[in-house]
Amino acid sequence: MAEQTEFPFDVIADDEYTRLRALYEPLTESMRRLIDVGLRTGVDAAEIETARAAIDAAAEVLGGVRHDTTSTLRHADTGRPLAWANPAVGLRNPIAPPMHITHEPGGGCWAEFTLGAAYEGPPGLVHGGICALMLDHILGEVASDGLTKSLFTGTITLRYLRGTPLGRVRAEAHVDRTEGIKTYARGHLADAAGRTVEAEGVFIMPAWARPGGRASA
């Protein structure tokens, strides 16, 4: 099997990023709204058929030029990757809430976002796997210093304290310690009443990103 190497990135200047964000972000918001109303609609059969035809027509338009893969960009000024297909933060992914993550100068990061009907597991509560997704991402964000370091999830352990109600949620994460190629991070999800899920994870630098390209754990 071929040795895995660093993922390729297309570098994008700030003005081009701003242009593309202004173009695609409203489209993604419209698709998020479509997902939500599709889950909640109570219109009659004729209106459903009308809506379906309109959706299919829009899909034909958007599919007129189609890329085989999604592109991962790197911002020229900040060095941050812009993974627009990411299911937690992707600007162009309508299943992402999205999480707009703030990194504090002294370390740690947080995000506040809304989880609506598309994320429901038990009635009125967020699906446990969605909680895991959100925590895996924000722990990875803090461990990798805003995704500027190449680290991958080794393990993540969750403790579900109680159900997470649908609605406004806050996620927080911080680095606990770093030992060689491993970074240990902790975090949690919370609603207005307090924590709902706690998590800890180990994030590992792959061999190709280590000094010299090869290192032992």
Side-chain angles (χ1 to χ4, degrees):
M1 181 179 294
E3 180 72 16
Q4 185 178 6
T5 58
E6 185 174 3
F7 297 115
F9 288 90
D10 295 326
V11 177
I12 185 171
D14 185 65
D15 57 349
E16 179 64 2
Y17 166 71
T18 300
R19 184 188 73 83
L20 291 176
R21 180 167 186 164
L23 177 65
Y24 290 119
E25 194 166 35
L27 172 64
T28 308
E29 287 296 336
S30 293
M31 290 192 287
R32 286 194 185 103
R33 180 168 177 263
L34 180 61
I35 291 170
D36 187 74
V37 297
L39 287 168
R40 299 174 184 274
T41 187
V43 300
D44 63 26
E47 290 172 315
I48 287 175
E49 285 303 309
T50 298
R52 186 175 64 81
I55 293 167
D56 287 345
E60 286 295 322
V61 172
L62 293 174
V65 177
R66 185 184 179 94
H67 301 292
D68 291 334
T69 60
T70 58
S71 150
T72 299
L73 308 174
R74 189 181 294 281
H75 195 282
D77 295 343
T78 66
R80 279 182 57 86
L82 307 169
W84 283 354
N86 186 291
V89 296
L91 179 74
R92 294 182 61 179
N93 190 340
I95 71 169
M99 302 171 74
H100 295 297
I101 297 175
T102 298
H103 288 262
E104 297 293 349
C109 62
W110 60 272
E112 292 185 350
F113 47 96
T114 299
L115 296 174
Y119 307 99
E120 187 174 52
L125 300 176
V126 180
H127 191 290
I130 298 298
C131 296
L133 168 66
M134 300 293 106
L135 284 164
D136 180 46
H137 187 88
I138 199 166
L139 264 64
E141 275 264 355
V142 77
S144 64
D145 195 15
L147 304 182
T148 60
K149 300 174 183 177
S150 297
L151 295 174
F152 292 90
T153 308
T155 61
I156 184 167
T157 304
L158 303 174
R159 183 178 177 220
Y160 293 87
L161 307 177
R162 58 185 172 87
T164 302
L166 294 175
R168 200 68 177 166
V169 176
R170 181 180 175 93
E172 297 184 23
H174 66 274
V175 171
D176 184 54
R177 67 190 187 279
T178 299
E179 297 177 356
I181 62 170
K182 297 179 181 179
T183 298
Y184 297 78
R186 294 178 181 271
H188 65 266
L189 290 182
D191 64 0
R195 295 186 180 190
T196 60
V197 188
E198 295 178 338
E200 56 184 69
V202 182
F203 296 84
I204 302 172
M205 183 179 293
W208 50 261
R210 302 170 197 169
R214 302 284 297 178
S216 59

